[in-house]
Amino acid sequence: MRWLVLLGTAMVLTGCDVSMTEQNKYTTYSPADLWPDGTSARPLPAHVVAQGDLAREDAVRNPPPVTAALLKRGRERFDIYCSPCHGLDGRGDGMVVTRGFPRPPSYFEPRLLAAPATTFYDAITKGYGVMYSYAARVEPRDRWAIVAYIRALQQAKRATLAQVPEARERLP
């Protein structure tokens, strides 16, 4: 008798399938009588913010202070993401340019020397010309690090020995 009860219970339990694929649900853009507007797609409630958006927005609005560590990180990210087109020194003569890709502008053009830092940040974020957006590949803090490194490249190109007197001692 005990075996019959166990066998009956096992048969009943194995017959249950509560798979979510077989539940009643609305598919994307299907009509729904439940809502007054008749659609199943619901608008987001007012003032909804995606997780992490506030921190990202803060990073966009407030660039980090320029430190040696930030410049080091900027150089590393620049070498990875920017140098294939812009070249290691920012002149726009990267490896892909030698292979026929359109030449990007040099960072030493007067227009870019006078441009605010947000110009470079926005180009990394949104893309510019044939350059696609790097927003999905480069985090906001790393974008600012790249911008700081670009500014350091620009400063180094325009520097003179008079501005860096300690460099004279290191030159042969």
Side-chain angles (χ1 to χ4, degrees):
M1 182 67 165
R2 191 181 274 172
W3 286 105
L4 285 177
V5 171
L6 286 173
L7 181 63
T9 305
M11 289 176 66
V12 168
L13 290 176
T14 57
C16 295
D17 183 17
V18 288
S19 172
M20 292 182 74
T21 60
E22 296 178 18
Q23 293 180 0
N24 292 332
K25 64 182 177 226
Y26 292 115
T27 57
T28 308
Y29 304 117
S30 64
D33 298 329
L34 181 63
W35 306 102
D37 62 1
T39 64
S40 62
R42 308 308 316 140
L44 294 173
H47 311 295
V48 169
V49 178
Q51 186 176 6
D53 272 1
L54 295 177
R56 272 188 292 280
E57 281 298 316
D58 185 53
V60 168
R61 278 189 241 114
N62 303 313
V66 178
T67 62
L70 185 76
L71 288 172
K72 182 178 178 185
R73 178 73 175 176
R75 180 178 183 178
E76 176 187 282
R77 301 286 102 186
F78 180 90
D79 288 351
I80 293 168
Y81 295 108
C82 309
S83 69
C85 296
H86 292 277
L88 290 172
D89 58 358
R91 283 191 244 159
D93 57 354
M95 184 55 68
V96 297
V97 174
T98 62
R99 304 268 195 279
F101 197 77
R103 184 182 189 96
S106 169
Y107 292 136
F108 309 108
E109 291 180 0
R111 170 181 67 89
L112 292 179
L113 289 170
T118 54
T119 300
F120 299 104
Y121 186 90
D122 290 343
I124 296 167
T125 304
K126 300 172 188 169
Y128 185 82
V130 295
M131 176 180 153
Y132 56 84
S133 167
Y134 281 86
R137 295 167 183 83
V138 181
E139 290 297 319
R141 184 169 173 83
D142 285 345
R143 287 180 230 159
W144 283 120
I146 291 170
V147 171
Y149 182 70
I150 290 170
R151 287 297 196 211
L153 283 175
Q154 291 175 327
Q155 291 290 330
K157 175 80 171 169
R158 297 184 301 184
T160 64
L161 276 177
Q163 293 171 322
V164 191
E166 64 272 4
R168 283 182 220 224
E169 298 167 6
R170 289 187 249 149
L171 293 176

